[in-house]
Amino acid sequence: MYIMDDGIRLYAALELPEACAPRLPLVIVLHGFTGHMDEPHLVALSETIRGLGCATLRVELYGHGRSGGSFREHTIYKWVNNALRVIDYARSLDFVEGLYLCGHSQGGLTAMLAAGMKADALDGLILLSPATMIPDLARAGADLAGSSFDPRHVPERLSTWEGLTLDGNYARVAQTVRVEPAIDAYDGPVLLIQGTADETVPRACAERAAGRYRNCELVWLPEDDHCYNFQLPLAQKALGDWLGRQLAASGRPRC
Ligand code: FER
């Protein structure tokens, strides 16, 4: 299925749990930079979520997966707009009672920014190795997706480590992104999961974000990487435990 955002088709998979109450919480799941909805860790964590009686809505964002827009033209603002639109779509579904937003890496950064704008629409935020260093790399012009440049004279095109090309506007947008105000604007419950051996997102980023949120639980996955290739069952357990506690505390009906 597709969710339309200002003429752009966002490819999405809405999946219900096996045993289903008439009204259910829903968790929106966002992938990262160059990612898509069928990455194994996103599929597995979505299964864990459905095992708790929640629906999942995995979405592919602008320029990624089967969605519209080109990779080259994507920016964090476009992703944030997509996320706001997807939150509105989820809220419009009759069966939804309770809404959580989950994002991995650049999708985690996007989730943080969207949650700061729509805190009242969300019951919780699940951050999987959120890439909060992207704005700092863009401001420094240092190794942004493998590309270094003068941050005051951003080139028209950036060549990334994946052999893909990004428009310079990706960097210009990222330079303006501030995570702290977004964190301060969201006072709901947050779960942050990160591998201790993540080579993409520095540990200090997870510590800073988790320490700044008013209500955040930080779970370290020992020796795990950016996509949980080594400790996926532990990531599933951390998410299952946290979400189970949130659902119990919400007092909402579920399976
Ligand atoms: C970067 C490091 C990480 C970057 C993007 C990411 C655009 C995002 C990773 C992900 O979403 O998995 O330098 O530059």
Side-chain angles (χ1 to χ4, degrees):
M1 63 165 291
Y2 289 96
I3 299 167
M4 294 305 294
D5 180 13
D6 202 15
I8 293 289
R9 298 200 312 177
L10 302 177
Y11 189 79
L14 175 60
E15 290 160 299
L16 300 175
E18 255 174 39
C20 222
R23 292 172 75 78
L24 307 168
L26 182 138
V27 183
I28 297 166
V29 179
L30 309 178
H31 59 78
F33 182 81
T34 71
H36 58 82
M37 67 159 72
D38 293 319
E39 292 174 76
H41 60 300
L42 300 180
V43 170
L45 291 167
S46 298
E47 280 167 5
T48 300
I49 292 166
R50 290 196 298 278
L52 289 167
C54 299
T56 57
L57 180 62
R58 291 180 292 138
V59 185
E60 292 179 335
L61 299 169
Y62 187 105
H64 285 66
R66 287 151 281 190
S67 289
S70 65
F71 173 80
R72 201 184 75 192
E73 300 285 329
H74 96 279
T75 70
I76 292 168
Y77 288 173
K78 286 180 182 172
W79 276 29
V80 170
N81 270 296
N82 293 163
L84 297 175
R85 168 74 191 108
V86 171
I87 290 169
D88 291 340
Y89 168 79
R91 278 155 61 83
S92 77
L93 296 170
D94 285 342
F95 70 86
V96 171
E97 189 170 304
L99 187 60
Y100 294 81
L101 181 60
C102 171
H104 176 244
S105 200
Q106 182 169 286
L109 172 62
T110 300
M112 292 170 74
L113 299 169
M117 298 176 191
K118 268 191 184 301
D120 53 348
L122 298 173
D123 293 281
L125 183 59
I126 300 157
L127 303 174
L128 310 170
S129 320
T132 54
M133 74 298 166
I134 291 176
D136 297 327
L137 296 177
R139 284 188 279 270
D143 204 18
L144 182 68
S147 183
S148 293
F149 50 87
D150 177 349
R152 289 155 307 166
H153 299 282
V154 176
E156 287 312 300
R157 302 266 182 274
L158 306 171
S159 299
T160 75
W161 60 49
E162 306 242 354
L164 294 162
T165 302
L166 272 176
D167 196 281
N169 289 341
Y170 173 91
R172 294 187 183 91
V173 163
Q175 285 177 341
T176 72
V177 170
R178 303 278 168 191
V179 294
E180 291 83 4
I183 291 175
D184 296 347
Y186 185 75
D187 57 5
V190 184
L191 171 67
L192 197 158
I193 298 177
Q194 181 153 334
T196 61
D198 188 330
E199 290 181 347
T200 306
V201 180
R203 292 178 58 135
C205 288
E207 275 154 10
R208 267 201 297 273
R212 191 166 180 117
Y213 276 115
R214 268 156 286 179
N215 181 4
C216 181
E217 226 170 278
L218 172 58
V219 176
W220 288 110
L221 304 176
E223 299 302 314
D224 209 358
D225 64 8
H226 190 51
C227 295
Y228 316 145
N229 283 303
F230 300 94
Q231 303 278 22
L232 186 51
L234 216 53
Q236 290 176 281
K237 183 171 181 336
L239 175 50
D241 286 352
W242 181 87
L243 186 56
R245 272 185 277 122
Q246 303 307 316
L247 296 171
S250 77
R252 288 199 172 99
R254 60 189 185 101
C255 308

